[in-house]
Structures are given as structure tokens and as C-alpha cells.
Amino acid sequence: MPKPGPAPRRPAPTAPQIEVRRVAATAAEALERADEAVDQLLDAGRSPGEILVLTVGEAHPWQQHELSFGKERYWAQLSEGGDVFYADALLTRPARREVVVLVANGGPAARAAEAYAAALGHASVLLVVCGDAGPAAAGAAGAVPGRPVSA
């Protein structure tokens, strides 16, 4: 009886590819462009609970508004997952949404690059980068460049 040969090799599992869309904007324009991108995503049929908006600089006005009701209520919204959630780009709580909108609205370039890498980890399908998220945005591993949402 012949000796069985080695088992066939299975390809290693690959990490899911995240589409990256860039939206040109200055730091001063980034929040407005991000709001436009969120509106377009909702108009295209995305549910609000699929979207996470992360800011590199000053907090988004909606985040500031939600925090005015207290931190416990604010963080409960992340867990509930029923609406667009706004947070700091270096969010340390576990959060995974299909779409992440990264708002490069200020701060040092190193923080923007770090935020870009973190945002990729929070997105499962699409990352929309509004503004200059630093050199990492030009070619991060695992990212597939896409077309801008708006310019």
C-alpha cells in the first residue's frame, strides 16, 4: 500500500480588505466634509448604526452635545449601536463599525497617522478620510485606495 503524501497546503487566511476613500479638505474644512460624507452614506442606504466618526483634532460638535448629557449616557450609545457615533480618533474602547469616517481636523501629523492606523482597525468595510491624515494614508498595509466621496 502506498504511503500517503503530505496534506495539501491551505492558503493562509487573509485579512479583510478595507476600502479607503480620501476626501480632500483642509483641517478647517474637514468637519464639514465629514458631515457631507455621512449624509452621502446615509442617502446611499447605510444605517446610522453602521457609521463611526472619529476626530483627530477638536471633538465633533455632535460629540460635545451628547457628552453634555453625561459620560454614562454617551458611552451607552456606542454599545446600543443604533446611531452614528462620534468619538476621539484614538478611541480606546472596543468599537467596530462597517464604516469609519476619520476627520483630520487638527493636531500634529504624528497623531493623524496614528489615528489613521487605529481607524483602519475600527472599520470592517470602508474608511473615509476627510483631510490630511499623514503619510500613513498614502499606502497603509491592508488598505485599498478608493475614490473620494466628495471634494
Side-chain angles (χ1 to χ4, degrees):
M1 178 157 229
K3 249 178 146 180
R9 290 183 176 241
R10 293 185 186 190
T14 58
Q17 297 292 304
I18 308 299
E19 179 184 355
V20 178
R21 295 182 188 171
R22 308 249 324 142
V23 178
T26 64
E29 300 168 329
L31 275 174
E32 182 179 343
R33 296 295 174 263
D35 288 343
E36 291 168 0
V38 168
D39 288 343
Q40 288 178 359
L41 290 162
L42 295 171
D43 289 346
R46 292 265 177 208
S47 97
E50 296 175 347
I51 303 170
L52 174 64
V53 178
L54 302 173
T55 53
V56 175
E58 184 177 335
H60 189 283
W62 193 250
Q63 178 186 1
Q64 294 173 21
H65 169 76
E66 292 299 325
L67 279 167
S68 72
F69 298 106
K71 286 187 176 187
E72 185 175 317
R73 179 69 198 128
Y74 169 74
W75 289 115
Q77 289 180 4
L78 176 62
S79 300
E80 292 164 4
D83 207 351
V84 176
F85 190 78
Y86 296 83
D88 183 86
L90 298 180
L91 175 70
T92 56
R93 292 186 184 227
R96 188 130 173 102
R97 299 272 174 112
E98 286 190 18
V99 180
V100 173
V101 178
L102 178 61
V103 187
N105 61 329
R111 186 173 194 279
E114 185 179 358
Y116 177 85
L120 275 173
H122 291 296
S124 63
V125 175
L126 173 64
L127 172 61
V128 179
V129 181
C130 299
D132 182 11
V144 176
R147 65 183 190 290
V149 173
S150 68

PDB file of all heavy atoms in Angstrom, residues 22 104 108-117 120 129 131-141 143:
ATOM      1  N   ARG A  22     -10.566  58.893   0.051  1.00  0.00           N
ATOM      2  CA  ARG A  22      -9.974  60.140   0.534  1.00  0.00           C
ATOM      3  C   ARG A  22     -10.828  61.319   0.082  1.00  0.00           C
ATOM      4  O   ARG A  22     -11.254  61.375  -1.057  1.00  0.00           O
ATOM      5  CB  ARG A  22      -8.562  60.287  -0.014  1.00  0.00           C
ATOM      6  CG  ARG A  22      -7.686  59.070   0.223  1.00  0.00           C
ATOM      7  CD  ARG A  22      -6.567  59.189   1.171  1.00  0.00           C
ATOM      8  NE  ARG A  22      -5.925  60.457   1.148  1.00  0.00           N
ATOM      9  CZ  ARG A  22      -5.486  61.050   2.260  1.00  0.00           C
ATOM     10  NH1 ARG A  22      -5.622  60.463   3.408  1.00  0.00           N
ATOM     11  NH2 ARG A  22      -4.908  62.210   2.204  1.00  0.00           N
ATOM     12  N   ALA A 104      -9.587  64.563   9.930  1.00  0.00           N
ATOM     13  CA  ALA A 104      -8.283  65.147  10.258  1.00  0.00           C
ATOM     14  C   ALA A 104      -8.462  66.658  10.379  1.00  0.00           C
ATOM     15  O   ALA A 104      -8.112  67.429   9.491  1.00  0.00           O
ATOM     16  CB  ALA A 104      -7.256  64.784   9.191  1.00  0.00           C
ATOM     17  N   PRO A 108      -1.175  67.310  15.579  1.00  0.00           N
ATOM     18  CA  PRO A 108       0.085  67.020  14.899  1.00  0.00           C
ATOM     19  C   PRO A 108      -0.050  65.884  13.876  1.00  0.00           C
ATOM     20  O   PRO A 108      -0.912  65.005  14.016  1.00  0.00           O
ATOM     21  CB  PRO A 108       1.031  66.620  16.024  1.00  0.00           C
ATOM     22  CG  PRO A 108       0.192  66.381  17.222  1.00  0.00           C
ATOM     23  CD  PRO A 108      -1.145  67.008  16.995  1.00  0.00           C
ATOM     24  N   ALA A 109       0.795  65.891  12.862  1.00  0.00           N
ATOM     25  CA  ALA A 109       0.778  64.880  11.811  1.00  0.00           C
ATOM     26  C   ALA A 109       0.971  63.474  12.375  1.00  0.00           C
ATOM     27  O   ALA A 109       0.355  62.524  11.902  1.00  0.00           O
ATOM     28  CB  ALA A 109       1.847  65.183  10.764  1.00  0.00           C
ATOM     29  N   ALA A 110       1.798  63.340  13.411  1.00  0.00           N
ATOM     30  CA  ALA A 110       2.027  62.017  14.009  1.00  0.00           C
ATOM     31  C   ALA A 110       0.738  61.474  14.614  1.00  0.00           C
ATOM     32  O   ALA A 110       0.454  60.276  14.514  1.00  0.00           O
ATOM     33  CB  ALA A 110       3.119  62.096  15.074  1.00  0.00           C
ATOM     34  N   ARG A 111      -0.049  62.334  15.236  1.00  0.00           N
ATOM     35  CA  ARG A 111      -1.327  61.890  15.810  1.00  0.00           C
ATOM     36  C   ARG A 111      -2.289  61.486  14.701  1.00  0.00           C
ATOM     37  O   ARG A 111      -3.015  60.497  14.821  1.00  0.00           O
ATOM     38  CB  ARG A 111      -1.950  62.985  16.670  1.00  0.00           C
ATOM     39  CG  ARG A 111      -3.204  62.504  17.397  1.00  0.00           C
ATOM     40  CD  ARG A 111      -3.702  63.563  18.391  1.00  0.00           C
ATOM     41  NE  ARG A 111      -4.669  63.031  19.315  1.00  0.00           N
ATOM     42  CZ  ARG A 111      -5.965  62.852  19.044  1.00  0.00           C
ATOM     43  NH1 ARG A 111      -6.439  63.147  17.860  1.00  0.00           N
ATOM     44  NH2 ARG A 111      -6.789  62.369  19.954  1.00  0.00           N
ATOM     45  N   ALA A 112      -2.282  62.227  13.588  1.00  0.00           N
ATOM     46  CA  ALA A 112      -3.148  61.888  12.454  1.00  0.00           C
ATOM     47  C   ALA A 112      -2.759  60.535  11.861  1.00  0.00           C
ATOM     48  O   ALA A 112      -3.620  59.732  11.509  1.00  0.00           O
ATOM     49  CB  ALA A 112      -3.085  62.987  11.402  1.00  0.00           C
ATOM     50  N   ALA A 113      -1.467  60.266  11.758  1.00  0.00           N
ATOM     51  CA  ALA A 113      -1.008  58.978  11.238  1.00  0.00           C
ATOM     52  C   ALA A 113      -1.413  57.844  12.176  1.00  0.00           C
ATOM     53  O   ALA A 113      -1.860  56.782  11.730  1.00  0.00           O
ATOM     54  CB  ALA A 113       0.505  59.003  11.040  1.00  0.00           C
ATOM     55  N   GLU A 114      -1.277  58.060  13.473  1.00  0.00           N
ATOM     56  CA  GLU A 114      -1.675  57.058  14.459  1.00  0.00           C
ATOM     57  C   GLU A 114      -3.190  56.839  14.406  1.00  0.00           C
ATOM     58  O   GLU A 114      -3.673  55.703  14.480  1.00  0.00           O
ATOM     59  CB  GLU A 114      -1.244  57.518  15.855  1.00  0.00           C
ATOM     60  CG  GLU A 114      -1.504  56.515  16.945  1.00  0.00           C
ATOM     61  CD  GLU A 114      -1.039  57.006  18.318  1.00  0.00           C
ATOM     62  OE1 GLU A 114      -0.470  58.117  18.437  1.00  0.00           O
ATOM     63  OE2 GLU A 114      -1.255  56.268  19.297  1.00  0.00           O
ATOM     64  N   ALA A 115      -3.939  57.927  14.254  1.00  0.00           N
ATOM     65  CA  ALA A 115      -5.394  57.841  14.177  1.00  0.00           C
ATOM     66  C   ALA A 115      -5.828  57.075  12.933  1.00  0.00           C
ATOM     67  O   ALA A 115      -6.787  56.305  12.973  1.00  0.00           O
ATOM     68  CB  ALA A 115      -5.993  59.246  14.174  1.00  0.00           C
ATOM     69  N   TYR A 116      -5.114  57.261  11.832  1.00  0.00           N
ATOM     70  CA  TYR A 116      -5.418  56.542  10.596  1.00  0.00           C
ATOM     71  C   TYR A 116      -5.286  55.034  10.822  1.00  0.00           C
ATOM     72  O   TYR A 116      -6.178  54.264  10.463  1.00  0.00           O
ATOM     73  CB  TYR A 116      -4.492  57.009   9.474  1.00  0.00           C
ATOM     74  CG  TYR A 116      -4.687  56.263   8.180  1.00  0.00           C
ATOM     75  CD1 TYR A 116      -5.667  56.658   7.278  1.00  0.00           C
ATOM     76  CD2 TYR A 116      -3.911  55.161   7.865  1.00  0.00           C
ATOM     77  CE1 TYR A 116      -5.858  55.975   6.086  1.00  0.00           C
ATOM     78  CE2 TYR A 116      -4.099  54.467   6.677  1.00  0.00           C
ATOM     79  CZ  TYR A 116      -5.069  54.881   5.794  1.00  0.00           C
ATOM     80  OH  TYR A 116      -5.263  54.199   4.625  1.00  0.00           O
ATOM     81  N   ALA A 117      -4.197  54.625  11.419  1.00  0.00           N
ATOM     82  CA  ALA A 117      -3.979  53.197  11.689  1.00  0.00           C
ATOM     83  C   ALA A 117      -5.066  52.656  12.620  1.00  0.00           C
ATOM     84  O   ALA A 117      -5.590  51.554  12.407  1.00  0.00           O
ATOM     85  CB  ALA A 117      -2.596  52.984  12.288  1.00  0.00           C
ATOM     86  N   LEU A 120      -8.453  52.236  10.778  1.00  0.00           N
ATOM     87  CA  LEU A 120      -8.498  51.008   9.972  1.00  0.00           C
ATOM     88  C   LEU A 120      -8.932  49.819  10.824  1.00  0.00           C
ATOM     89  O   LEU A 120      -9.652  48.942  10.354  1.00  0.00           O
ATOM     90  CB  LEU A 120      -7.132  50.713   9.351  1.00  0.00           C
ATOM     91  CG  LEU A 120      -6.817  51.410   8.038  1.00  0.00           C
ATOM     92  CD1 LEU A 120      -5.373  51.146   7.631  1.00  0.00           C
ATOM     93  CD2 LEU A 120      -7.767  50.997   6.931  1.00  0.00           C
ATOM     94  N   VAL A 129     -11.485  59.100   4.763  1.00  0.00           N
ATOM     95  CA  VAL A 129     -10.548  60.012   5.407  1.00  0.00           C
ATOM     96  C   VAL A 129     -10.804  61.418   4.884  1.00  0.00           C
ATOM     97  O   VAL A 129     -10.621  61.686   3.703  1.00  0.00           O
ATOM     98  CB  VAL A 129      -9.082  59.608   5.120  1.00  0.00           C
ATOM     99  CG1 VAL A 129      -8.119  60.562   5.820  1.00  0.00           C
ATOM    100  CG2 VAL A 129      -8.832  58.167   5.537  1.00  0.00           C
ATOM    101  N   GLY A 131      -9.545  65.036   4.966  1.00  0.00           N
ATOM    102  CA  GLY A 131      -8.389  65.850   5.301  1.00  0.00           C
ATOM    103  C   GLY A 131      -7.103  65.055   5.205  1.00  0.00           C
ATOM    104  O   GLY A 131      -7.075  63.928   4.701  1.00  0.00           O
ATOM    105  N   ASP A 132      -6.040  65.630   5.705  1.00  0.00           N
ATOM    106  CA  ASP A 132      -4.710  65.028   5.617  1.00  0.00           C
ATOM    107  C   ASP A 132      -4.440  64.205   6.863  1.00  0.00           C
ATOM    108  O   ASP A 132      -4.177  64.744   7.932  1.00  0.00           O
ATOM    109  CB  ASP A 132      -3.673  66.137   5.465  1.00  0.00           C
ATOM    110  CG  ASP A 132      -2.263  65.596   5.309  1.00  0.00           C
ATOM    111  OD1 ASP A 132      -2.112  64.368   5.106  1.00  0.00           O
ATOM    112  OD2 ASP A 132      -1.314  66.384   5.400  1.00  0.00           O
ATOM    113  N   ALA A 133      -4.498  62.888   6.709  1.00  0.00           N
ATOM    114  CA  ALA A 133      -4.254  62.014   7.849  1.00  0.00           C
ATOM    115  C   ALA A 133      -2.803  61.566   7.903  1.00  0.00           C
ATOM    116  O   ALA A 133      -2.490  60.604   8.563  1.00  0.00           O
ATOM    117  CB  ALA A 133      -5.193  60.813   7.801  1.00  0.00           C
ATOM    118  N   GLY A 134      -1.918  62.277   7.218  1.00  0.00           N
ATOM    119  CA  GLY A 134      -0.495  61.985   7.308  1.00  0.00           C
ATOM    120  C   GLY A 134      -0.017  60.948   6.314  1.00  0.00           C
ATOM    121  O   GLY A 134      -0.785  60.431   5.523  1.00  0.00           O
ATOM    122  N   PRO A 135       1.263  60.644   6.376  1.00  0.00           N
ATOM    123  CA  PRO A 135       1.862  59.749   5.385  1.00  0.00           C
ATOM    124  C   PRO A 135       1.286  58.344   5.398  1.00  0.00           C
ATOM    125  O   PRO A 135       1.288  57.669   4.390  1.00  0.00           O
ATOM    126  CB  PRO A 135       3.346  59.733   5.750  1.00  0.00           C
ATOM    127  CG  PRO A 135       3.414  60.242   7.143  1.00  0.00           C
ATOM    128  CD  PRO A 135       2.210  61.099   7.358  1.00  0.00           C
ATOM    129  N   ALA A 136       0.759  57.879   6.512  1.00  0.00           N
ATOM    130  CA  ALA A 136       0.186  56.533   6.564  1.00  0.00           C
ATOM    131  C   ALA A 136      -0.999  56.411   5.619  1.00  0.00           C
ATOM    132  O   ALA A 136      -1.284  55.327   5.120  1.00  0.00           O
ATOM    133  CB  ALA A 136      -0.238  56.202   7.988  1.00  0.00           C
ATOM    134  N   ALA A 137      -1.689  57.494   5.340  1.00  0.00           N
ATOM    135  CA  ALA A 137      -2.871  57.445   4.484  1.00  0.00           C
ATOM    136  C   ALA A 137      -2.520  57.124   3.040  1.00  0.00           C
ATOM    137  O   ALA A 137      -3.348  56.617   2.310  1.00  0.00           O
ATOM    138  CB  ALA A 137      -3.607  58.776   4.544  1.00  0.00           C
ATOM    139  N   ALA A 138      -1.312  57.392   2.632  1.00  0.00           N
ATOM    140  CA  ALA A 138      -0.929  57.179   1.241  1.00  0.00           C
ATOM    141  C   ALA A 138      -0.769  55.715   0.886  1.00  0.00           C
ATOM    142  O   ALA A 138      -0.893  55.348  -0.263  1.00  0.00           O
ATOM    143  CB  ALA A 138       0.357  57.935   0.938  1.00  0.00           C
ATOM    144  N   GLY A 139      -0.504  54.845   1.829  1.00  0.00           N
ATOM    145  CA  GLY A 139      -0.330  53.453   1.465  1.00  0.00           C
ATOM    146  C   GLY A 139      -0.184  52.531   2.646  1.00  0.00           C
ATOM    147  O   GLY A 139       0.829  51.875   2.808  1.00  0.00           O
ATOM    148  N   ALA A 140      -1.178  52.452   3.482  1.00  0.00           N
ATOM    149  CA  ALA A 140      -1.107  51.558   4.636  1.00  0.00           C
ATOM    150  C   ALA A 140      -1.379  50.129   4.192  1.00  0.00           C
ATOM    151  O   ALA A 140      -2.161  49.889   3.293  1.00  0.00           O
ATOM    152  CB  ALA A 140      -2.135  51.979   5.685  1.00  0.00           C
ATOM    153  N   ALA A 141      -0.749  49.186   4.826  1.00  0.00           N
ATOM    154  CA  ALA A 141      -0.980  47.784   4.515  1.00  0.00           C
ATOM    155  C   ALA A 141      -2.427  47.438   4.804  1.00  0.00           C
ATOM    156  O   ALA A 141      -3.013  47.876   5.786  1.00  0.00           O
ATOM    157  CB  ALA A 141      -0.061  46.910   5.364  1.00  0.00           C
ATOM    158  N   ALA A 143      -5.004  48.344   3.082  1.00  0.00           N
ATOM    159  CA  ALA A 143      -5.953  49.322   2.570  1.00  0.00           C
ATOM    160  C   ALA A 143      -6.009  49.245   1.052  1.00  0.00           C
ATOM    161  O   ALA A 143      -5.022  48.979   0.395  1.00  0.00           O
ATOM    162  CB  ALA A 143      -5.544  50.733   2.996  1.00  0.00           C
TER     163      ALA A 143
END
